[in-house]
Each structure stands twice: as C-alpha cells, then as structure tokens.
Amino acid sequence: MIENTKAIVINTIKYGDTSLISTCYTKNCGIKTYMLKGILKSKKSKIKSAYFQPLMQLNLTANHNNKGALNSIRDIEIDHFYNSIYTNIKKQTIALFLAEILYYAIKEEEQNQSLYEYLETSFLWLDTHDNVSNFHLLFLLNLTKFLGFYPEMNLPNSNYFDLIEGNFTNINNFNSVSGENLVQFKKLLGINFDVLHKIDFSAENRQTILFILIQYFELHLSGFKKPKSLNVLKSVFS
C-alpha cells in the first residue's frame, strides 16, 4: 500500500556496503522499517543518507508491506529543519540517546497520533531552546503517559514511590524510591518543558533521576534495553 505520512527517524544501520535499513516512527502507521538500497552509492538519488539522522522529521511517500516486512520509500522531504540539534554537542547527545530509547520502547505498528505529536513538538522544543540539560528527564517521564505507566498521583505525599506498581505508597518495597531521591524525582511531576530551567538539579541529581527512569522503563517494558549511548550522555552532562 502506498502511504503518505510524517515520520521520525529512530534507528539507522548499515546494510552491506551501499545500503541502509532505517526504522522510523510514522504518524499514520506506527513503527515502520525501510530498506534503502544503494543509498550510500548513488549520488543522484533524491533519497539521501543525511535524511536518516536520529530524530530527523520527514515527510514520506512509502510502500508499506505486511507487518514485519521491510518497506520502501518512493519519495521523501524534510518536514522540519533543525537549526541546532546536530551542531550542539548536548543536543546531539540527547538526540542519540532518545532515539535509542524510542527504538527499544515502541514496537507497535499502529497509528497513535497523540504520541507522534508529542514526539514532534518535543523535538522542536529541544531544537529551539538553549537550557536543555534536564530535557531528556522530563521527556522520558512524559513518554510514560503514552506507553501506559505514568506515575499514579493518588498519594503524592507518601514516603515512597513503587517503581513496579507505578504509584506513591507508605510501604517500602525492594524497587521503591525514597528520601532525597524521591524529593528530586517529584520535581519533574506535573510540569512542562517551559519551566525546566527552574529545576535546580545538580549533575549528581540528574544522573540519579536518569537511573531511576531507566529502571522504571526496564520494569514496565518487555525487551527494553539500556541505551548504549547512556555513558556518553552521563559524560556530557556530568
């Protein structure tokens, strides 16, 4: 089936000497993987390898096959040109990290326009703002809304947050967040990107909250893996 859709690049690997395989999150069809034959060899092709950088936002005309099969792209154009994501080291590192997160977290080949719009607007915010040191933390927390395990807010003044149950409680379990870590974690709850600069995370706080969020994803998503770029992210923001 020929489909016109917006798409966000989340993973690209080399296939052979001349081709790429790229996985994108599409607005109309969820996760789709494309075979880009000869893209590294042909200089005249309208489809360029530069289009498939992490989090690039595209408009595609694609031939979508049955579930699980590789698809092909007939036509392509950039939907939004980023001004700084690929030139600013912090933003570039965040983009690589979040692309890996999305690759491991989203598997569905179904339309979810609210999730797509969240990704689209979030990455445009990242591109157009300077104070982004906490961006990935709030992005991950808010992503859980669309994945089905955002923290329940029934008892927010409790002494513990249970990572398995996803709720606040006064019962201390093995996977509970408590004490100062809980105080820092709560700073992200219920806020939007425009007030991120007001959160006074230290580098140590930031790494601790990131560890909690990664653990939260691991507990709730089957097959989720820690991104390889995690150590690079920690290094850049330490």
Side-chain angles (χ1 to χ4, degrees):
M1 174 185 289
I2 303 300
E3 186 93 31
N4 295 311
T5 182
K6 290 184 174 184
I8 296 173
V9 178
I10 61 174
N11 181 259
T12 303
I13 60 172
K14 191 175 180 182
Y15 182 79
D17 293 329
T18 62
S19 302
L20 296 175
I21 296 176
S22 184
T23 300
C24 300
Y25 188 68
T26 70
K27 186 173 184 178
N28 294 352
C29 310
I31 289 290
K32 288 293 181 183
T33 301
Y34 302 95
M35 170 63 76
L36 307 165
K37 291 184 179 180
I39 191 173
L40 301 176
K41 182 180 179 181
S42 175
K43 296 181 180 180
K44 296 182 179 180
S45 174
K46 187 176 181 180
I47 302 175
K48 307 295 184 183
S49 60
Y51 292 166
F52 297 93
Q53 298 180 71
L55 306 188
M56 185 72 83
Q57 297 190 30
L58 305 170
N59 281 312
L60 304 179
T61 300
N63 184 15
H64 287 161
N65 303 310
N66 295 327
K67 288 186 177 182
L70 291 176
N71 307 279
S72 59
I73 296 174
R74 291 192 171 195
D75 201 5
I76 188 171
E77 64 180 13
I78 296 175
D79 185 38
H80 295 291
F81 285 90
Y82 293 139
N83 294 311
S84 62
I85 285 181
Y86 303 127
T87 56
N88 179 295
I89 185 62
K90 285 188 175 181
K91 295 183 181 183
Q92 193 176 36
T93 304
I94 288 173
L96 180 63
F97 172 73
L98 294 182
E100 276 197 88
I101 290 284
L102 295 174
Y103 182 68
Y104 291 130
I106 305 175
K107 302 297 181 184
E108 291 75 22
E109 292 190 38
E110 286 91 26
Q111 183 184 72
N112 186 338
Q113 290 204 15
S114 59
L115 173 54
Y116 187 89
E117 289 167 2
Y118 170 66
L119 301 180
E120 180 180 48
T121 55
S122 296
F123 300 145
L124 290 176
W125 190 97
L126 174 64
D127 184 54
T128 55
H129 289 76
D130 296 325
N131 196 332
V132 298
S133 295
N134 298 325
F135 174 86
H136 55 295
L137 303 178
L138 183 58
F139 176 88
L140 291 180
L141 181 62
N142 286 343
L143 181 61
T144 65
K145 293 178 183 178
F146 303 93
L147 301 178
F149 53 98
Y150 188 79
E152 294 180 16
M153 299 299 293
N154 296 348
L155 300 168
N157 295 320
S158 302
N159 294 323
Y160 305 98
F161 178 72
D162 189 321
L163 290 171
I164 293 179
E165 297 299 327
N167 60 15
F168 291 92
T169 177
N170 286 313
I171 300 173
N172 186 12
N173 294 316
F174 177 72
N175 286 293
S176 293
V177 180
S178 61
E180 181 61 21
N181 290 345
L182 183 61
V183 172
Q184 299 301 323
F185 179 71
K186 284 182 177 180
K187 290 181 179 180
L188 292 174
L189 295 169
I191 68 169
N192 59 43
F193 290 118
D194 289 333
V195 297
L196 263 180
H197 64 282
K198 297 181 180 180
I199 299 180
D200 56 343
F201 284 144
S202 66
E204 184 179 356
N205 291 151
R206 196 173 292 116
Q207 289 197 21
T208 298
I209 299 306
L210 180 58
F211 175 81
I212 291 170
L213 288 167
I214 292 295
Q215 186 181 6
Y216 196 37
F217 273 66
E218 287 178 314
L219 289 169
H220 287 267
L221 296 175
S222 176
F224 182 82
K225 300 178 183 179
K226 286 183 180 177
K228 295 177 181 178
S229 57
L230 184 59
N231 288 334
V232 179
L233 186 77
K234 288 179 179 179
S235 177
V236 169
F237 287 98
S238 63

